[in-house]
Structures are given as C-alpha cells and as structure tokens.
Amino acid sequence: MIEQKEQHIASNEMSLMAETLILNIFRVSHLVGRATNRELARMGFSLQLEQVQILVLAYLHCTTPLSQQDIANLLQKDKAGIQRSVKTLERDGYLRINSDLNDRRRNLITLTPAGKLVAQEVMGKTLELDKQLTSHLNPDEVKGLLNVLKKLASILES
C-alpha cells in the first residue's frame, strides 16, 4: 500500500514537471545546447555554445566592435564568464582584444579572418539545425512558437 502511494506521488510530480513551463523551457534549452555542442564537435570545432554566441555577436557587429561589457549585456551573462570565453577565443585565434582608444578600461572585440570563417560556418549550421527542428512543425506552429517565445522574453525583460 505504501509503495503504491509513493508511486502515485512520483507520478504526480512527474506530471507536474511535464506541465511546468519553466522546466520545459529549461529542458528544451539544455537539449538544444547539447545538440549544438555535439554538432560543433562533429564539424571539428572545439567550441562550446557560449563561445559561438560571442563569435556570432562579433560577426553581426563587425562594423562597430563590441566591448566585453556589451557582449555580457547582450547575452545577459556575467562579465567574468564572457572574459574567460573571450580569452579562450583569442588564444585559439578567432578574436582580437584591443583597448578602446577613447577609454583604456574598455576592451573591444574584433574577429580575425579565422573567426569570421568559423562564425559564417556556425551560422550556416545553426540555420540547418533550425530547419531540422522546424520541419517537424507546421508553419503556424513555428510562427506561434516564435511569438510565444518573444512574448515570454519581453515579460521577463521588463
């Protein structure tokens, strides 16, 4: 009897987890990160998703270099974590760190030619992975999902 009651409680807890928006978003985010890291490794890159985000941001802002603080703010990550990733990317030859001529306390991030190439490849692969995921949804589901995600982001950012 006690074992049956414990199974019922565990079943209810699993049901609650399955229906909890926050936990499902976290789970999907984790799975997307794992799939992306696995694909990056398959492509021969020793990059993690955190580093890819920095490369892509630097690529998209190539006309106006971003500071490490700008990157931390845009990615909503702590500056120390961004600094570690930037140093690794610099060591691997993907980025250059330059002091801002107007403010020596700021470091500006620019991509090297190798960094640009990697960013382009990764963005192309990201679009492929996106297509693979969305191919299992109809266009209305994709549009609805994007709208819901944007709305949730807006709520959480305010």
Side-chain angles (χ1 to χ4, degrees), residues 132-146:
Q132 286 176 7
L133 280 175
T134 58
S135 71
H136 299 280
L137 306 171
N138 68 48
D140 288 336
E141 288 173 321
V142 173
K143 185 177 178 182
L145 177 59
L146 288 172

Side-chain angles (χ1 to χ4, degrees), residues 43-55:
M43 292 170 65
F45 297 118
S46 62
L47 297 169
Q48 295 294 305
L49 187 55
E50 294 261 333
Q51 296 165 328
V52 167
Q53 292 173 318
I54 294 169
L55 286 177

Side-chain angles (χ1 to χ4, degrees), residues 11-24:
S11 175
N12 285 343
E13 288 172 354
M14 291 305 290
S15 176
L16 178 63
M17 286 180 68
E19 294 176 17
T20 304
L21 182 67
I22 300 283
L23 295 176
N24 276 284

Side-chain angles (χ1 to χ4, degrees), residues 49-72:
L49 187 55
E50 294 261 333
Q51 296 165 328
V52 167
Q53 292 173 318
I54 294 169
L55 286 177
V56 169
L57 267 180
Y59 181 82
L60 295 174
H61 289 88
C62 62
T63 56
T64 313
L66 295 170
S67 70
Q68 289 181 7
Q69 186 63 56
D70 294 334
I71 293 169

Side-chain angles (χ1 to χ4, degrees), residues 33-45:
R34 273 187 26 201
T36 303
N37 287 339
R38 196 170 39 247
E39 189 59 28
L40 287 167
R42 192 191 66 70
M43 292 170 65
F45 297 118

Side-chain angles (χ1 to χ4, degrees), residues 102-135:
N102 299 320
D103 183 353
R104 293 273 184 211
R105 296 171 296 173
R106 282 174 38 115
N107 288 324
L108 299 177
I109 307 305
T110 55
L111 286 177
T112 63
K116 286 179 185 176
L117 184 63
V118 169
Q120 290 170 335
E121 282 186 57
V122 167
M123 288 186 333
K125 185 49 84 174
T126 299
L127 291 174
E128 284 179 35
L129 289 170
D130 196 71
K131 284 180 186 176
Q132 286 176 7
L133 280 175
T134 58
S135 71

Side-chain angles (χ1 to χ4, degrees), residues 21 25 147-157:
L21 182 67
I25 290 172
N147 286 336
V148 168
L149 291 172
K150 288 175 188 174
K151 188 172 186 174
L152 290 172
S154 176
I155 291 166
L156 293 168
E157 288 172 343

